[in-house]
Amino acid sequence: MECGREEMRGGWRAKNHVVGWVALSVYAFSWLISFDLSRSAESVFILCFVIAWFSEPDPSTKWHRIFLLLIAFILLQVWVHFFAVERFPDFADSQVKAARHMTKLFLCIAVAWWLRGSVQAGKYLLLVFLAGIVVSLVINSNVEEWMTGLSGSRVDFGYTNAQHTAFLMGLLLIVGVSWLFRCLHWGVSKSEWGLALALTVLGLVGVVVTQTRAVLLALAIILLGLLVVWLVSLIKQIQRAWLRPRVLLPLFALVGGFVLVVNSIVPIVEQRFSKENEQNVVQAILDGRLDDVPYSSIGNRVHSWVYGWERVQQRPLTGWGAKSRTPLMDEGPFPDWVKRVYGHFHNSYLEILLAYGFLGMSILALLTSMIIKGTLTLFGLVQRHWGIGLISAWMFFFMINLFESYLIFNSGMYFFIIFGGVGLTFYLFGEHHKAGDVTR
């Protein structure tokens, strides 16, 4: 009888795990293709996670202290919600929706739990996520749009705006470059070479045609750092195998290709920045004459940051509420057209402080530090290139969030959940290489 119960429980766990993996795969793959499908898969995955959590046999894992962060964040949200509803009654319903969006960042815990420290499962999920981006691009873009972008016009392929498209293209580029350097170090098949190269080229061209300065600046720093890291690694190699043309020629071709592409995008970058220089925006900022800064692309950000920081200082600990950014902008000293067009502060860190103050920022910072600590465990010899790629993606994400509020949009949320879940799983469970089957 006892044996029968164990088999029954084991059978239900296995079925729940398979369903959970299917739901997680659909969730990560389809968010840009069909958001309704991804949201439905999210509900199934959360249910499977709850079932798995209740049946977890290890008490130290089941009651891990990371759940205290989630509880603390929810309690903070409840506390701030009552203030926000009273202060901005017209936005009561929106406060709940925006708060739920911020809470979903903690779904990275469920993703990490599901991966259970498996390197192979983590790679699988990242590739599913990236494949969804590529398929979405194939569906939403066409040759004419790509040619329009390459001719100098800015395109966004119908996503939220060009900044979010550029963010996705930058991710493809960083992962592609990291994958290419892995191909240089290890003997891999031609198909893997081809996939890595295709991902790199797609990301590179995508970044060019979306013409987003913050993304271009962040990528320039990231790619330069990657190039330095691998050149130093190359120099330190003792084995003469590194001197073989099979290794050196692709490396030189890669560096030469980047030089040519950078040379081709310089005019585009200059054109984008010249628009700001013509209005003396940069000079006014450097001189500290903020009142003279016009409401251009950069100027809007500067004015909103100054005003936003003033609001943060009024409620520094707990903030104003998740959706209070919209009424706060309406109360700001901005022209009417700015209030209509811009409903947020173009800086994720400022958005968090305005929503939940330094308490909320501290909770999310602790969660992120765990993710980064887990990601750093991949810097061993075998997984080093994956670790560098993930850390580069996070550095990229940190930098561009200085100039755009990605975290309050789906693009930033899904990145945090998927990439965060992959990094966090190694913090929670360590690094395991045995799980070649992602359903195990």
Side-chain angles (χ1 to χ4, degrees):
M1 181 65 70
E2 290 297 326
C3 181
R5 291 197 189 100
E6 288 297 324
E7 289 178 357
M8 185 178 298
R9 283 198 293 266
W12 276 108
R13 288 197 192 103
K15 292 176 181 177
N16 180 68
H17 205 65
V18 171
V19 172
W21 260 112
V22 172
L24 178 58
S25 300
V26 173
Y27 172 74
F29 178 80
S30 64
W31 69 281
L32 280 170
I33 302 169
S34 173
F35 185 66
D36 289 337
L37 176 60
S38 181
R39 189 165 50 184
S40 299
E42 174 187 89
S43 300
V44 175
F45 171 67
I46 292 175
L47 177 61
C48 291
F49 165 69
V50 171
I51 294 172
W53 182 83
F54 273 109
S55 62
E56 173 62 44
D58 184 3
S60 63
T61 301
K62 185 174 183 177
W63 305 106
H64 195 280
R65 62 182 179 276
I66 196 171
F67 291 106
L68 294 177
L69 289 179
L70 173 59
I71 295 172
F73 193 75
I74 292 175
L75 291 176
L76 174 62
Q77 286 183 303
V78 173
W79 175 269
V80 178
H81 175 75
F82 291 108
F83 163 81
V85 170
E86 181 180 358
R87 177 67 171 78
F88 307 109
D90 294 339
F91 291 83
D93 293 337
S94 300
Q95 295 285 0
V96 175
K97 183 177 180 180
R100 186 169 64 244
H101 176 97
M102 296 297 291
T103 308
K104 283 185 179 182
L105 296 177
F106 286 83
L107 278 177
C108 64
I109 299 176
V111 173
W113 184 288
W114 218 253
L115 298 178
R116 307 291 289 196
S118 168
V119 174
Q120 296 303 320
K123 291 179 182 178
Y124 161 79
L125 188 60
L126 287 177
L127 291 176
V128 167
F129 180 75
L130 296 173
I133 296 175
V134 174
V135 171
S136 173
L137 271 174
V138 172
I139 295 173
N140 293 320
S141 65
N142 54 57
V143 176
E144 288 75 19
E145 285 181 292
W146 285 99
M147 296 306 297
T148 299
L150 290 173
S151 66
S153 299
R154 194 182 191 193
V155 296
D156 58 20
F157 305 121
Y159 295 106
T160 305
N161 55 43
Q163 286 93 336
H164 293 267
T165 311
F167 166 47
L168 300 176
M169 297 298 98
L171 281 181
L172 295 180
L173 176 58
I174 289 172
V175 174
V177 170
S178 302
W179 200 352
L180 273 180
F181 278 110
R182 177 185 179 276
C183 294
L184 287 173
H185 281 73
W186 305 97
V188 297
S189 64
K190 292 181 179 179
S191 60
E192 189 168 344
W193 261 105
L195 287 173
L197 186 59
L199 202 62
T200 302
V201 172
L202 176 61
L204 202 53
V205 177
V207 167
V208 171
V209 300
T210 49
Q211 298 184 24
T212 301
R213 288 162 296 190
V215 169
L216 289 169
L217 176 62
L219 284 173
I221 297 172
I222 294 297
L223 294 178
L224 180 61
L226 285 175
L227 188 59
V228 170
V229 167
W230 268 292
L231 284 176
V232 171
S233 175
L234 179 62
I235 294 172
K236 287 183 177 181
Q237 292 295 326
I238 301 175
Q239 299 178 357
R240 290 187 174 273
W242 275 100
L243 299 178
R244 291 183 298 179
R246 185 179 70 85
V247 176
L248 289 179
L249 289 178
L251 179 61
F252 290 150
L254 186 62
V255 174
F258 275 117
V259 171
L260 290 175
V261 172
V262 169
N263 185 60
S264 67
I265 68 174
V266 165
I268 297 176
V269 177
E270 289 179 345
Q271 179 183 359
R272 290 278 292 152
F273 275 101
S274 66
K275 295 179 181 178
E276 303 288 345
N277 291 327
E278 288 171 1
Q279 302 177 60
N280 298 318
V281 177
V282 176
Q283 190 59 50
I285 295 172
L286 293 176
D287 293 341
R289 296 180 286 106
L290 298 183
D291 292 337
D292 296 333
V293 175
Y295 283 91
S296 60
S297 178
I298 294 177
N300 285 331
R301 285 167 169 77
V302 173
H303 286 294
S304 64
W305 294 343
V306 172
Y307 167 71
W309 179 244
E310 292 174 355
R311 289 296 197 168
V312 168
Q313 291 175 309
Q314 293 175 11
R315 288 185 59 84
L317 287 181
T318 58
W320 297 79
K323 189 58 178 179
S324 298
R325 57 179 176 268
T326 301
L328 286 175
M329 284 289 290
D330 291 339
E331 294 177 358
F334 309 115
D336 290 339
W337 71 268
V338 172
K339 296 177 182 180
R340 288 195 306 269
V341 175
Y342 297 94
H344 59 91
F345 289 83
H346 289 86
N347 184 303
S348 285
Y349 309 106
L350 186 58
E351 299 279 2
I352 295 171
L353 289 172
L354 284 167
Y356 296 115
F358 283 97
L359 288 178
M361 175 68 81
S362 299
I363 294 171
L364 290 175
L366 281 172
L367 178 64
T368 306
S369 68
M370 294 176 181
I371 292 170
I372 298 301
K373 186 174 181 180
T375 304
L376 290 174
T377 63
L378 290 175
F379 273 65
L381 182 62
V382 177
Q383 306 300 332
R384 180 179 57 190
H385 301 93
W386 284 101
I388 291 176
L390 285 172
I391 286 296
S392 299
W394 277 104
M395 294 301 105
F396 173 61
F397 188 65
F398 293 152
M399 283 188 275
I400 62 176
N401 271 287
L402 288 168
F403 306 99
E404 181 57 82
S405 305
Y406 289 101
L407 274 179
I408 66 173
F409 291 92
N410 287 330
S411 57
M413 182 187 73
Y414 274 84
F415 171 87
F416 197 96
I417 292 171
I418 301 301
F419 277 70
V422 171
L424 190 62
T425 195
F426 305 120
Y427 174 83
L428 295 177
F429 299 101
E431 185 181 330
H432 306 297
H433 303 271
K434 296 179 180 180
D437 182 2
V438 297
T439 62
R440 288 183 59 185

